[in-house]
Amino acid sequence: MQKINRSLALAISVLLTATQCSMPKTENETKPALSNKQLNSTFAIDEYTYARPAEAVITHLDLDVEVNFASKIISGVASYHVVNKTGTNMIILDSKGLEIEKVTLGDGESTEFALVGYSQYMGRKLEITISQSTTRINIYYASRPEAVALQWLSPQQTADKKSPYLFTQSEPCLARTWIPTQDSPGIRFTYNAKVRVPKGLMAVMSASNPTEKSPDGNYTFEMKQPIPAYLMALAVGDIVFKSIGPRTGVYAEASIVDQAAYEFGELEEMLTTVEKLYGEYRWDRYDLIVLPPSFPFGGMENPRLTFVTPTIIAGDRSLVSVVAHELSHSWSGNLVTSATWNDFWINEGFTVYLERRIMEELYGKSYTEMLMVLGYQDLQATIEYMGHENEDTHLKLNLAGRDPDEALTDIAYEKGALFLQTIEEAVGREKWDEFLKGYFDKFAFQSMTSDRFVEYFNKELIGDDKELAAKVSVNKWVYGPGIPETRTINVSERFAIVDQAVASWENGASPSELGTEKWTTHEWLHFLRQLPSPLSEERLRLLDAEFDFSNSQNAEIIAAWFIHVISNNYKKSYGKLEEFLIKVGRRKFLSPLYKELAKTEQNKKVAIEIYKKARKNYHAISYTTIDGILGWEHRYLGMD
Ligand code: BES
Ligand code: ZN
């Protein structure tokens, strides 16, 4: 029936354009097809969604689901309020690997639907027949155990080892593997959710959250502010809550919650710091949840509840810039959102810039300079690796048809932040902060393209000041490759001292004479990065004997040390390396280590033996990358 309607509509529109004559209106008649450009006039064209929001768009979700650990399935109803803007007879959603049982409309009557097409990064188009007056669709569905957004962990893979755990990761386009939705960063909706989980577990979402377990395993949530689908998030586990400040706190498994509350003890202060700079926090509470070590990222800025890796708990608060980063997304990203994944730097570049401003307020300039130099080194290495003229080094990307994961490079983060730092230096901090505050306010809860930002920036800040325009060269940064030649490099006085230590060590000083007593994590990272290569076994042994790198509880330091361990075949620490690779699933650490191992035949064999044991602990996001590095046969998991 639906097919007939569609071909009829097509026939009518073809006839209309062909003959330019009017046809008698019938009940089934739909509007003639408009061009994509016209249809999406207020939405930027997003290549990673099938949705056509200019025709029919979702505005609110009522989610009612059950989480089943035995079958690894989330199932229930996703009920949407929809706005049919053009009187179309079809609303299109995104779906990847979802089983759709039925779809009903507001009156409870079933309506036709079809899952159409398939693409590896987009999944399938969910076409639902609606009428001009439809305002509600109810989708009865179930996710599959292989859903990429979901990681189901056994008790053994958690900190307390007693209960299973589930967490979601929806960015960039994975929300559609656990909820049928219009999965584009440019489409926002509010939501309410009812979630049923096994008794004894707590469920938390990117929404208002419980602080106690419910006796029956039923939880309700409310997210009043409109968010895009990539910020939909759920975690379920045997977790407890500990308050930090009036608006802040942390969720974690019982055995680590005290440590976590200490580590993130400055959370409230971070929050008030950004508010002072860039305007009120608009999401009510700000809490963290510390996930099990397989979480593939450092952090994920799920609104009201940032998800973080336990690898940032170093015991000395030295890795909290990740939290400053995710918190900053409450302005850059969650409030003013990249319109498409090509504009990813609008989220991440701004956020790295804000993160460093928080760090400067809390820890001072010389501390933040270290972070900036480490970031600059990463950026240079990335550009070197990609090639200086590579179009993927532009801030505005052209991902066209590729895995959106490829947007996730230091370009968006570090080139983006360096660009904003350049503007700050050109216009002065005061004026720049005023601009930013106005920008977050004016475009709150809206999406932003690179082009729109450039236009707004030129109008508001540059005006007709030619000298300033030349200093900033906005077009070179946004639409050009590499780092514009006008940029001066970042320097750090504290790193200059580390450089001297490296030099005296190279000249024969013993490790104990290097004056490292007051070094922070960042100085150690710089030290490890600056060490020469190759290094003899004896020299590595002496370094390890003095600084005990191989037993470091600091994931950043131990990962940087392991690079030397691998490149110099320092076999004594291979046991520790294996332990680390089996336990930790954070891709930022795994990729460089497996890449380093893959450089020689012998080490590649070691890598594969470790990987056989470790892979099952990794999230699909991580193992997909490592499969590529090791040439592991990657069977695509029936997600069509
Ligand atoms: N939003 C990102 C994580 C992300 C990006 C997930 C793209 C999926 C696709 C998050 O804010 C982030 O940038 N995390 C960083 C930490 C940060 C301190 C640079 C990470 O996980 O490494
Ligand atoms: Zn980020």
Side-chain angles (χ1 to χ4, degrees), residues 451-510:
D451 301 351
R452 196 169 175 207
F453 171 76
V454 168
E455 192 189 312
Y456 181 70
F457 170 78
N458 280 332
K459 191 168 134 260
E460 292 292 313
L461 263 189
I462 301 285
D464 36 43
D465 188 339
K466 296 221 167 58
E467 207 181 310
L468 184 60
K471 248 196 208 165
V472 174
S473 344
V474 54
N475 288 339
K476 282 194 183 166
W477 281 95
V478 178
Y479 306 112
I483 305 173
E485 68 288 347
T486 47
R487 176 67 223 173
T488 52
I489 58 162
N490 285 331
V491 289
S492 153
E493 281 172 20
R494 287 167 69 170
F495 280 178
I497 296 171
V498 177
D499 290 338
Q500 281 166 14
V502 175
S504 41
W505 181 71
E506 285 196 81
N507 290 329
S510 91

Side-chain angles (χ1 to χ4, degrees), residues 264 289-293 295 297-299 307-313 322 584 586 589:
F264 309 125
I289 177 168
V290 180
L291 297 172
F295 183 55
F297 295 110
F307 285 22
V308 294
T309 167
T311 61
I312 59 172
I313 302 183
V322 172
V584 174
R586 184 174 170 192
F589 295 136

Side-chain angles (χ1 to χ4, degrees), residues 325-326 329 348 351 413:
H325 178 97
E326 305 312 334
H329 272 307
E348 299 300 343
T351 298
Y413 289 78

Side-chain angles (χ1 to χ4, degrees), residues 169-174 230-231 295-302 306-307 309 312 319-327 329 332 334 341 344 347-348 351-352 355-356 404-405 407-410 413-414 556 586-589 621:
Q169 168 57 43
S170 299
E171 190 181 16
C173 307
L174 304 175
Y230 80 87
L231 295 175
F295 183 55
F297 295 110
M300 176 64 213
E301 66 272 27
N302 298 313
T306 280
F307 285 22
T309 167
I312 59 172
L319 302 177
V320 293
S321 63
V322 172
V323 172
H325 178 97
E326 305 312 334
L327 167 65
H329 272 307
S332 47
N334 299 2
W341 300 114
F344 187 53
N347 278 7
E348 299 300 343
T351 298
V352 172
E355 161 200 337
R356 299 209 173 127
D405 210 42
L408 227 187
T409 72
D410 287 318
Y413 289 78
E414 294 296 341
E556 293 279 352
R586 184 174 170 192
R587 186 168 63 174
K588 174 188 153 180
F589 295 136
I621 289 174

